[in-house]
Every structure is written in structure tokens, then in C-alpha cells.
Amino acid sequence: MELVIVLVAGLLAFRLAGRLGVTRFGTWRASAAHALAVMVVMAASAHFVPAGVTVMPNHADLVRMVPPFVPLPDLVVYLTGVLELMGAAGLVLATTRRAAALCLAALFVALLPANIYAAVSGAEFNGGEATPLWLRIPEQALYIGVALWVAAAPARARRLAAVRT
């Protein structure tokens, strides 16, 4: 739920900045792209946090989320963290925003089995219970929807955004 709050708060803050004259955040889609980037960086950071850290989710928590049929769970967690960081970087550049948003949407879909597994297996997360499935699925759908909405910016808007950046 923290990531949803970061996404919504980021969207509103970036859009407010746009209304105050920061042209980079002049549209809801551009603001959403930047808010999604902030949220993804926050989520990706957990992929690299040592197991001893308990103030936030850590690498070991994410490894426990990986379904047993996925080989090399440690490596998969690191790899998905790198992919998330690359996607976040791509979102803030107008020229790569569409591709980054589409790739992140695909990554969010690919990560869905891990979220389902964590919820149904009762994997501990950050020293407590995993987020229930009834909450995890709508959250993941929200992230996928925002990424697809950002990617769907009309060609004219993409050209204008490229000029602003």
C-alpha cells in the first residue's frame, strides 16, 4: 500500500509543479510517468537491501516471494531490480518514455506470479505477513494500467514532450 501512496502523492506533487509552471510536468501523463518512476525506484531499492535491514523490505523478503518453479531466485531478484531501475530511468526521458512504460507494464505482468505466490503461500514480508491477495492484485493492476496509460500518449504529445525535455 505504501507504493500506491507514493504513486498518488508523486502524481499530485508533479502535477502541482506543472500547474506552477514547471513545463516538464505540464500534463497528467508526464506527471504520472515521473510519479511511476519514483515509485519504481522505491520498489527496486528493496531488491538490493541486505537481509539484516528491517525498516523496509529487503532482498531476502523478495527472494521468499519467488515461486519455487523459478530457478536462481537470488539472481532473478537482482535482475528484476536492475530492470525496474532501467525502466524508471527511461520514464523520465521523453524520448524513451513510451518504450520504458511498455517494458515496465510487461515486467509488472511477469512479476504477478510472485505476488500471487507470496500472498497464497503466506511468505513473510518485512517481518510480517504478506500483503493479502485481494489487495496485491488490484495494486499490480493499477501499476500496469498507469504504465500503459503513460505509454499511450498520443504521438503529438510525445513530440511536444521531447521538445520540452
Side-chain angles (χ1 to χ4, degrees), residues 29 98 101-102 147-155 158:
R29 273 195 174 101
R98 179 175 164 77
L102 289 171
L148 291 176
W149 182 63
V150 166
R158 287 194 303 270

Side-chain angles (χ1 to χ4, degrees), residues 6-157:
V6 168
L7 180 62
V8 172
L11 173 62
L12 296 175
F14 287 126
R15 192 60 194 113
L16 176 61
R19 297 288 292 173
L20 294 174
V22 180
T23 57
R24 176 183 271 294
F25 310 122
T27 67
W28 282 101
R29 273 195 174 101
S31 297
H34 286 79
L36 186 61
V38 170
M39 186 216 74
V40 169
V41 167
M42 184 176 164
S45 66
H47 294 242
F48 307 100
V49 172
V53 175
T54 58
V55 295
M56 65 180 286
N58 60 49
H59 179 79
D61 290 329
L62 298 179
V63 169
R64 280 192 294 279
M65 289 177 60
V66 177
F69 63 83
V70 176
L72 305 169
D74 268 327
L75 180 62
V76 168
V77 169
Y78 285 126
L79 177 63
T80 55
V82 168
L83 292 174
E84 287 178 356
L85 291 172
M86 289 171 60
L91 286 173
V92 299
L93 302 172
T95 55
T96 57
R97 185 169 296 147
R98 179 175 164 77
L102 289 171
C103 288
L104 280 171
L107 181 63
F108 295 150
V109 170
L111 294 176
L112 195 54
N115 284 300
I116 293 170
Y117 175 75
V120 299
S121 72
E124 282 193 15
F125 194 71
N126 199 19
E129 295 178 12
T131 307
L133 188 59
W134 64 266
L135 184 57
R136 262 182 200 274
I137 301 299
E139 275 187 34
Q140 202 76 2
L142 172 66
Y143 307 147
I144 293 166
V146 170
L148 291 176
W149 182 63
V150 166
R156 181 177 177 275

